[in-house]
Amino acid sequence: MNDFIFQNTTKIYFGKDQLGHLGEEVGACGTRVLLVYGGGSIKANGIYDDVMAELEHVGAEVFELSGVEPNPRHTTVNKGADICKREGIDIILAVGGGSTIDCAKAIAAATFYDGDSWDLVIGKAAVTNALPIVTVLTLAATGSEMDPVGVISNIETNEKYGIGHSLLQPKVSFLNPEYTFTVNAYQTASGSVDIMAHVFDMMYFTMKPKFDMIHRMATEVLSTVIQYAPLALKEPANYEARANLMWASSWALNGFLGRSGDFPTCHKIEHELSAYYDITHGHGLAIIIPHWLTYILTDETAPQIKKMGVDLFNTDESLNDIDGAKVAIAALSTFFFDTLGLDSKLSDLGISDKDFKAMARNAAKGGTLKGFIELTPEDIEKILIASL
């Protein structure tokens, strides 16, 4: 068992009738609010009106940044930071999924920086201060509502990296499962894979020692997604299904399940795909993960891969480790592509191999990509090619 520190300072309001507390929580931080959201679906489904009504009750002056991209751009972060500086914004309210919340986090930090926000993302400049952030979640996927990290893209350079700091932890997050009823099947499926990947990639598949209680908790989070994602696809307005997915999303990445200390291998590889092709992150992960597991399958890794199948899909425990691992990978693929209905090949998403060498080099950052098994750029390229 590794030493660890756990502290999560995000206050959660979970449930149908909790938005009534939004005004008081925002008002505690100030009256000048930057409302950050995406393509406008929150206006179509009524969430925007609900939020604005609560802000009006406390006399908040609201400025808006709309149009945040699914893979948020650093240029959009710059726009938001400019508004905050110009208008003397007190607090940022992000209403949306992980991309919107990630963008808000970067804006919160960039408000106190005079240069390009990309400098903060790549570590050229340090995060020194940040505006407080409140979130209203509309998509269960990234866990950004309860963690201090955001992922930002630079489409000019085909780069996608994380920005993280304790100052970027949301102060308060509102989680109403009803606000995810209108999420379409594709985003529900992709978001569910993202939740699972956070557990797989950050903790479950690792050579580090395992704290048995936490490993069991991680397995329960994964089992919850496996149980409720298909139900949410079948019955989009099923409150129980949406609530379980929403809470699983938060707990997959809020720090409670810990960190392995390894690089998040599949996330690093997929970030290259979505940096170049702007695809949905969870879908890219669904395609990469089975091929990654197949590529790294050895006598050393097989027992854990086999255990995944036994724990999550009730595969045959009597099989030897290698055969059991192969069956486990097949079961996971069936869940991603048959049960959730996601396309199974990168070529289905319009991706070719022309940039794979550059992607592989970028993912390894000039060295190797550590994780369950250490990968060279050549290894990463082979995994990408197998995923075509």
Side-chain angles (χ1 to χ4, degrees), residues 5 10 85 125 165 267 336:
I5 298 171
T10 301
K85 294 171 184 176
H165 196 283
H267 273 73
F336 287 165

Side-chain angles (χ1 to χ4, degrees), residues 125-144:
V127 175
T128 58
N129 201 354
L131 289 172
I133 303 161
V134 172
T135 84
V136 177
L137 186 65
T138 65
L139 174 65
T142 72
S144 192

Side-chain angles (χ1 to χ4, degrees), residues 198-206 210 214-215 218 257-258 260:
H198 288 149
V199 183
F200 283 147
D201 213 15
M202 302 289 188
M203 195 286 294
Y204 202 91
F205 293 132
T206 174
K210 303 217 175 27
I214 295 299
H215 191 77
L257 297 182
S260 69

Side-chain angles (χ1 to χ4, degrees), residues 81-356:
D82 287 343
I83 296 172
C84 291
K85 294 171 184 176
R86 184 174 65 248
E87 304 296 345
I89 296 297
D90 298 315
I91 181 171
I92 300 175
L93 174 59
V95 182
S99 295
T100 296
I101 299 171
D102 286 1
C103 187
K105 290 175 180 178
I107 292 169
T111 298
F112 296 92
Y113 180 63
D114 291 334
D116 191 322
S117 64
W118 191 244
D119 293 346
L120 298 170
V121 178
I122 63 175
K124 182 178 177 181
V127 175
T128 58
N129 201 354
L131 289 172
I133 303 161
V134 172
T135 84
V136 177
L137 186 65
T138 65
L139 174 65
T142 72
S144 192
E145 67 279 0
M146 206 175 178
D147 79 14
V149 178
V151 179
I152 305 298
S153 296
N154 185 332
I155 61 171
E156 298 165 6
T157 59
N158 293 320
E159 293 176 290
K160 181 176 180 178
Y161 299 124
I163 176 173
H165 196 283
S166 59
L167 291 168
L168 306 184
Q169 183 91 22
K171 302 297 183 186
V172 184
S173 288
F174 290 82
L175 278 59
N176 181 352
E178 294 176 320
Y179 284 172
T180 65
F181 284 179
T182 58
V183 175
N184 64 37
Y186 176 70
Q187 291 298 335
T188 298
S190 297
S192 297
V193 175
D194 198 5
I195 298 169
M196 295 178 71
H198 288 149
V199 183
F200 283 147
D201 213 15
M202 302 289 188
M203 195 286 294
Y204 202 91
F205 293 132
T206 174
M207 292 301 183
K208 300 292 183 179
K210 303 217 175 27
F211 181 11
D212 192 50
M213 187 199 87
I214 295 299
H215 191 77
R216 294 183 187 192
M217 294 290 292
T219 300
E220 289 303 316
V221 171
L222 291 165
S223 296
T224 295
V225 177
I226 290 168
Q227 177 180 350
Y228 285 105
L231 182 56
L233 293 176
K234 182 179 179 181
E235 302 174 20
N238 186 300
Y239 186 87
E240 181 181 5
R242 293 295 192 179
N244 275 277
L245 289 176
M246 181 172 270
W247 204 218
S249 167
S250 298
W251 281 90
L253 205 60
N254 70 0
F256 180 76
L257 297 182
R259 294 288 188 273
S260 69
D262 293 329
F263 282 82
T265 307
C266 288
H267 273 73
K268 291 282 188 181
I269 297 172
E270 198 293 320
H271 281 175
E272 294 301 318
L273 292 169
S274 48
Y276 275 79
Y277 289 94
D278 205 22
I279 64 171
T280 299
H281 178 54
H283 194 175
L285 287 169
I287 297 171
I288 291 295
I289 289 172
H291 293 287
W292 167 66
L293 288 173
T294 298
Y295 188 82
I296 66 170
L297 179 57
T298 64
D299 289 338
E300 188 178 21
T301 62
Q304 288 181 231
I305 300 173
K306 173 188 170 182
K307 181 173 172 54
M308 177 272 293
V310 173
D311 289 347
L312 302 181
F313 299 105
N314 297 313
T315 55
D316 187 353
E317 191 171 9
S318 69
L319 293 171
N320 66 56
D321 288 342
I322 292 291
D323 288 342
K326 290 177 180 178
V327 171
I329 296 167
L332 185 63
S333 298
T334 297
F335 180 73
F336 287 165
F337 308 127
D338 295 341
T339 304
L340 297 184
L342 293 168
D343 289 330
S344 62
K345 297 181 293 185
L346 293 179
S347 56
D348 294 331
L349 306 183
I351 294 174
S352 72
D353 63 357
K354 69 183 182 69
D355 296 308
F356 281 180

